[in-house]
Amino acid sequence: ELSVGPAEAERMLERMEELCHRMGEGRTVVIAPREVGALFFRMLFVRTTCTFRERKIVHDLDGALAWLYEVYPPGAHGLRAYIRGAAPRVPSRH
C-alpha cells in the first residue's frame, strides 16, 4: 500500500524541484520494487519541470546501477558501495 496525502505530495514535488536545480545535469534513478510506487513516481516526474536531468524508474538496484554505469563507469566514485551503504534494504531481483 502507498498512502500519500495531497499536502505530502506537494511537499515532495517542491523538494524534487529544489533537488533538480541543485544537482544540475545528470541522471536520477528511483528504485521502486512494486508497480504502485513506480506509478507514483511517474506521476511526480510528470508534475515536475526538471527538463535537464534524465530520470528513470527501475525495479531493483541492479537495474539502477546498470543505467547509471552508462554514464558513470563501475568504480567511479565508489558508486556501488555508496548506493549499497545508503540503501542496504533494497533487494536486487534476478
Side-chain angles (χ1 to χ4, degrees), residues 36-50:
V36 67
L39 291 170
F40 178 72
F41 276 98
R42 279 189 199 100
M43 183 269 311
L44 292 178
F45 284 174
V46 168
R47 295 265 326 266
T48 57
T49 58
C50 189

Side-chain angles (χ1 to χ4, degrees), residues 16 19 23-33 37-38 41-42 45 50 53-72 79 82-83 86-87 90:
M16 287 175 70
L19 289 173
M23 293 186 302
E25 292 183 17
R27 287 185 168 187
T28 296
V29 64
V30 172
I31 299 171
F41 276 98
R42 279 189 199 100
F45 284 174
C50 189
R53 287 193 69 77
E54 291 182 79
R55 300 182 295 182
K56 187 171 186 170
I57 300 160
V58 299
H59 293 289
D60 58 34
L61 180 59
D62 291 336
L65 291 172
W67 190 62
L68 291 172
Y69 283 166
E70 291 176 9
V71 176
Y72 308 103
L79 183 62
Y82 173 79
I83 292 174
V90 177

